[in-house]
Amino acid sequence: MVYRVIQWGAGNNAQALIRAVHHHPDLELVGCRVWSEEKDGVDVGVLAGIGPIGISATRDAKSFVDVDADVVLFLPAMLPDTTESDCEAIELLRSGKNVISVTGDHSMPAHD
């Protein structure tokens, strides 16, 4: 079985995850969420330093709710207020995706 993966973030740690997912035979990268205008629309492989892989990064967080994916590797923007990131994680979970967060702030998001 191939697991479909969304990468949430494309900073240094996320770039390592993009490379790992891309090279793993049981994983398929299907999207990448970014925050900066400079990264918006850029091929995710280029951002990760492995060359084009045919997937464009996007700033449109809402677009990932409807993407067919099994898991989201969640590395949100590091902001003092995590409310927005909490809401994004919860929305992804409600859409049926598994969410793996490597930040302590998001290991237990606030919920309604």
Side-chain angles (χ1 to χ4, degrees):
M1 175 177 184
V2 174
Y3 295 95
R4 296 173 53 85
V5 178
I6 294 170
Q7 176 58 55
W8 206 263
N12 290 334
N13 291 330
Q15 290 172 22
L17 290 171
I18 291 166
R19 292 188 295 271
V21 168
H22 180 68
H23 289 106
H24 195 290
D26 295 330
L27 302 175
E28 177 187 0
L29 190 64
V30 296
C32 180
R33 200 274 203 227
V34 293
W35 288 265
S36 71
E37 288 184 33
E38 296 80 27
K39 292 180 181 178
D40 192 32
V42 176
D43 188 284
V44 177
V46 171
L47 293 174
I50 56 175
I53 61 173
I55 298 166
S56 295
T58 182
R59 294 172 59 197
D60 182 7
K62 297 274 187 207
S63 69
F64 291 109
V65 171
D66 295 326
V67 171
D68 179 22
D70 301 294
V71 65
V72 180
L73 300 177
F74 196 75
L75 284 80
M78 299 300 289
L79 302 172
D81 181 358
T82 62
T83 303
E84 183 177 344
S85 294
D86 289 348
C87 290
E88 291 171 340
I90 291 165
E91 190 170 9
L92 291 164
L93 288 164
R94 286 186 176 146
S95 74
K97 295 169 185 64
N98 295 292
V99 175
I100 299 172
S101 177
V102 297
T103 62
D105 290 342
H106 294 94
S107 61
M108 183 64 79
H111 63 281
D112 309 27

